[in-house]
Amino acid sequence: MVDLGAILLAAISLPVKPLLCKAMMTARVSLQVTMIFSPPSVPVGAPLKVCPQGYSCCTLEMEEKLSQQSHSDLKAPISQLNSNLQSTFKQRHSQFDQFFRELLDNAEHSLNDMFVRTYGLMYVHNAELFKHFFQELKRYYVSGSGAVNLDSMLSNFWEDLLERMFRLVNVQYEFSDAYMECVSRHTEQLKPFGDVPRKLRLQLTRAFVAARTFTRGLALMPEVVNKVSTVSASPSCVRAAMKMLYCPYCKGQVALKPCQNYCLNVMRGCLANQADLDTEWNNFLDAMLSLAERLEGPFNFESVMDPIDVKISEAIMNMQENSMQVSQKVFQGCGQPKPGNGFRSHRSVKESGFTGRFRPYSPDARPTTAAGTSLDRLTTDVKKRLKHAKKFWSTLPETVCAGERITSRDDCWNGTAKSRYESVVMGNGLANQVSNPDVEVDITKPDVVIRSQIAVLKEMTSWLKAAHSGNDISIDQDEDGSGGQESGSGCDSPSCEADRDIYFSIPPTPINPRVVKVVHQETTGGDRMAHGSMALALCGLTLALLAPHWR
């Protein structure tokens, strides 16, 4: 620590200047460099490169070492601020990512447990369909639309499920692969699962796009900070920092602190490029905050994944209840199938007395979700952090030029003497440094690293805004070099419109291709027999297996 008493004693003693230099030697313990001082009895008048000319306690060699020290001193507080910001959002990214992944795992396990109890062997024999469904959801979460087309994946899932259930409810018939292709092509028109596929597609798309885009945004923040941290201080910045921090030492005034406005001009000159990040940084943070609101509301990942087993079960129930009508439409559109060999009828539903239904899902019964927390708690916390990070780059000079490092009094170091700082304080950013009195800044040469990170932030902001609307912007490049294809959850497909009469457009197949408009008619005796067979088959398969969880 500096001995102020020794400095005062030196100031009133003769010879004054040599004693001031001697007093300065007591301050060297606070410096992290080995300083070479001139003997106090020998005044030093050799010209210095940075500090004001005249009597000095420093030599050129000492000034060079102080310049090296000032580079470290300039970097230390900025590095600490950057490190704190990196650590904060690395931790939040890890929390969100772990939460979403565990929620997916929990949803898969919940569906498996429920379906094993409810459907028994019928599910076990078809479990790979549901396993693949969750694998693709996880792959989409990790890699996005470049790896998995969510719309196509969901359509394939429902088509495959329809094929399997259609065979189960029509076990009295034999179906060729071509016939089943005909059935699959018209899954959306048939609506065998009711409105569940449409609603689930919208919910999953919006929730997954929002979740993975928000997580990517959290991961990007530490990356940007890390890249910006690699930007080195310019030589003119180091000279200005040395003049501000250590030239008072060379005059023997070790307790003299820089004027606040003087510090601001030096730091705004040194951090001019970093301040230019602020506009896109703030736009990015605003987009993150808007998407966080979506995650808490209509695009809530937790509220979609938690009851997904019940939603798929509801779809299966719809297929069971509508199996006769669905089969009739298929037979009219794809042709009458061939009867199978050795089929025997079973008791009807009425004869069995079975009137069970799935228990309705209650949101109040939703269990605590994943990673020991909930999405609401995570988003509430991260929104506070995001708001606090706004204007981070433009306020770095004020943050550094605060506290014990500077003084707001007039008896401060102004770069030449102990006096008031008279120069005008420059604004933030490169363009405002053209007249900076303390740091030479070439405003015609913006830093390449900073400019690249501005572009990265701008691109991420566009993805966040698209996710806010439920759309996923593909990052894959087309063959012609263009990219940015957009997929989303807009209601522009037939499944988003009101129910309508079904038209089958059948390509040439061995099954008497034709275009048929399906019209509801009074059933004939033959139709009733076929319908009864289908109901009997379904009842026989589901009665014993579903009863434990129905009421």
Side-chain angles (χ1 to χ4, degrees):
M1 296 291 295
V2 176
D3 187 344
L4 296 179
I7 295 173
L8 181 61
L9 179 63
I12 61 176
S13 300
L14 292 174
V16 175
K17 292 178 179 177
L19 287 178
L20 282 175
C21 291
K22 184 175 183 180
M24 178 197 171
M25 292 180 67
T26 65
R28 67 176 180 168
V29 295
S30 66
L31 301 179
Q32 298 175 6
V33 293
T34 302
M35 302 193 302
I36 300 176
F37 293 93
S38 300
S41 59
V42 182
V44 179
L48 300 176
K49 292 182 179 181
V50 179
C51 293
Q53 300 303 312
Y55 184 90
S56 175
C57 300
C58 297
T59 63
L60 285 173
E61 183 181 3
M62 180 180 171
E63 193 180 51
E64 175 60 32
K65 291 184 178 181
L66 287 172
S67 292
Q68 296 172 10
Q69 178 65 29
S70 65
H71 185 277
S72 299
D73 291 348
L74 177 68
K75 186 177 180 179
I78 300 171
S79 295
Q80 185 60 51
L81 291 168
N82 289 348
S83 178
N84 291 342
L85 189 64
Q86 280 183 287
S87 176
T88 294
F89 288 100
K90 277 184 179 179
Q91 185 181 22
R92 270 60 194 180
H93 169 262
S94 177
Q95 289 173 346
F96 270 86
D97 186 54
Q98 181 186 4
F99 177 81
F100 290 138
R101 289 173 186 266
E102 284 193 18
L103 202 58
L104 277 166
D105 287 338
N106 292 349
E108 182 177 9
H109 296 152
S110 176
L111 182 141
N112 184 74
D113 292 344
M114 176 184 180
F115 279 29
V116 165
R117 294 193 307 268
T118 304
Y119 296 108
L121 289 176
M122 186 167 62
Y123 165 71
V124 172
H125 293 157
N126 294 278
E128 78 281 356
L129 171 63
F130 300 93
K131 183 177 181 180
H132 180 72
F133 172 74
F134 281 101
Q135 285 176 341
E136 290 299 277
L137 287 180
K138 292 173 184 177
R139 204 155 68 91
Y140 177 80
Y141 171 73
V142 173
S143 303
S145 56
V148 178
N149 184 311
L150 202 55
D151 271 356
S152 297
M153 187 276 285
L154 292 172
S155 295
N156 292 338
F157 169 74
W158 294 115
E159 289 171 9
D160 199 353
L161 184 59
L162 173 60
E163 280 193 37
R164 295 171 189 240
M165 289 197 68
F166 189 77
R167 290 181 186 273
L168 288 174
V169 300
N170 290 286
V171 292
Q172 72 274 30
Y173 296 111
E174 288 184 357
F175 300 104
S176 66
D177 291 341
Y179 195 99
M180 296 312 299
E181 287 178 8
C182 176
V183 176
S184 296
R185 278 196 299 271
H186 302 95
T187 303
E188 190 171 329
Q189 291 171 299
L190 288 166
K191 299 189 187 307
F193 303 108
D195 207 30
V196 173
R198 182 188 70 84
K199 290 181 178 178
L200 195 57
R201 179 182 71 83
L202 292 175
Q203 292 169 347
L204 283 174
T205 300
R206 291 169 177 173
F208 268 80
V209 169
R212 72 177 305 273
T213 307
F214 190 79
T215 307
R216 289 170 68 193
L218 290 176
L220 179 69
M221 294 179 71
E223 293 174 6
V224 170
V225 175
N226 183 57
K227 292 284 180 62
V228 173
S229 299
T230 64
V231 177
S232 299
S234 66
S236 63
C237 171
V238 175
R239 285 195 299 271
M242 188 270 169
K243 185 177 181 181
M244 178 179 72
L245 296 172
Y246 291 119
C247 283
Y249 279 70
C250 291
K251 286 188 170 290
Q253 298 175 309
V254 294
L256 189 59
K257 295 180 179 180
C259 304
Q260 185 176 35
N261 286 349
Y262 174 37
C263 179
L264 285 175
N265 268 345
V266 170
M267 296 311 300
R268 286 183 178 179
C270 288
L271 299 172
N273 279 287
Q274 285 86 335
D276 282 346
L277 271 168
D278 224 42
T279 298
E280 284 306 325
W281 177 262
N282 292 335
N283 290 341
F284 162 77
L285 292 177
D286 285 337
M288 287 286 288
L289 285 165
S290 294
L291 191 55
E293 297 286 346
R294 290 290 207 193
L295 282 172
E296 288 180 315
F299 296 176
N300 192 303
F301 191 87
E302 187 175 5
S303 64
V304 173
M305 291 308 302
D306 225 17
I308 197 169
D309 50 358
V310 178
K311 293 178 181 179
I312 294 176
S313 295
E314 179 187 344
I316 293 173
M317 289 298 298
N318 289 337
M319 174 60 186
Q320 174 195 332
E321 293 175 355
N322 299 316
S323 61
M324 289 185 290
Q325 295 92 324
V326 170
S327 296
Q328 180 191 22
K329 292 177 182 180
V330 170
F331 296 162
Q332 289 179 342
C334 295
Q336 189 69 24
K338 296 179 181 180
N341 296 324
F343 173 75
R344 293 190 305 157
S345 296
H346 298 275
R347 292 187 303 161
S348 68
V349 174
K350 289 184 179 180
E351 289 173 338
S352 70
F354 177 72
T355 57
R357 290 292 185 271
F358 258 121
R359 290 179 300 176
Y361 171 71
S362 171
D364 296 334
R366 187 173 67 187
T368 303
T369 51
T373 185
S374 70
L375 189 57
D376 289 342
R377 288 198 290 270
L378 287 175
T379 50
T380 298
D381 171 71
V382 81
K383 284 195 299 182
K384 293 178 183 177
R385 310 286 179 171
L386 290 168
K387 290 174 183 176
H388 185 70
K390 293 189 72 173
K391 297 185 178 180
F392 174 79
W393 304 104
S394 62
T395 57
L396 270 179
E398 283 83 356
T399 306
V400 173
C401 297
E404 297 181 356
R405 299 186 185 96
I406 55 90
T407 181
S408 57
R409 302 194 307 269
D410 287 343
D411 55 340
C412 54
W413 174 249
N414 66 6
T416 56
K418 180 181 180 181
S419 183
R420 183 178 179 180
Y421 184 75
E422 301 289 350
S423 298
V424 175
V425 178
M426 300 293 102
N428 285 303
L430 195 61
N432 288 319
Q433 306 311 311
V434 63
S435 301
N436 192 310
D438 300 299
V439 187
E440 294 180 13
V441 182
D442 187 348
I443 65 170
T444 65
K445 295 181 179 179
D447 186 85
V448 175
V449 173
I450 299 292
R451 298 299 138 173
S452 70
Q453 294 310 299
I454 289 175
V456 167
L457 287 169
K458 187 177 294 186
E459 183 179 38
M460 188 70 229
T461 300
S462 69
W463 294 344
L464 290 165
K465 289 180 177 179
H468 185 270
S469 301
N471 297 314
D472 184 15
I473 299 180
S474 174
I475 60 173
D476 293 337
Q477 296 292 317
D478 300 326
E479 290 182 1
D480 60 359
S482 63
Q485 291 184 347
E486 191 171 297
S487 63
S489 58
C491 288
D492 55 359
S493 65
S495 63
C496 290
E497 301 173 7
D499 290 348
R500 62 183 70 177
D501 290 334
I502 298 175
Y503 289 82
F504 283 99
S505 179
I506 311 296
T509 67
I511 314 174
N512 300 324
R514 59 181 180 263
V515 178
V516 178
K517 180 176 181 180
V518 178
V519 183
H520 296 288
Q521 303 175 5
E522 292 296 326
T523 58
T524 64
D527 291 332
R528 285 194 295 268
M529 184 176 297
H531 296 169
S533 298
M534 287 182 282
L536 288 169
L538 177 62
C539 179
L541 287 167
T542 58
L543 176 58
L545 297 172
L546 299 179
H549 292 273
W550 292 26
R551 66 184 182 192

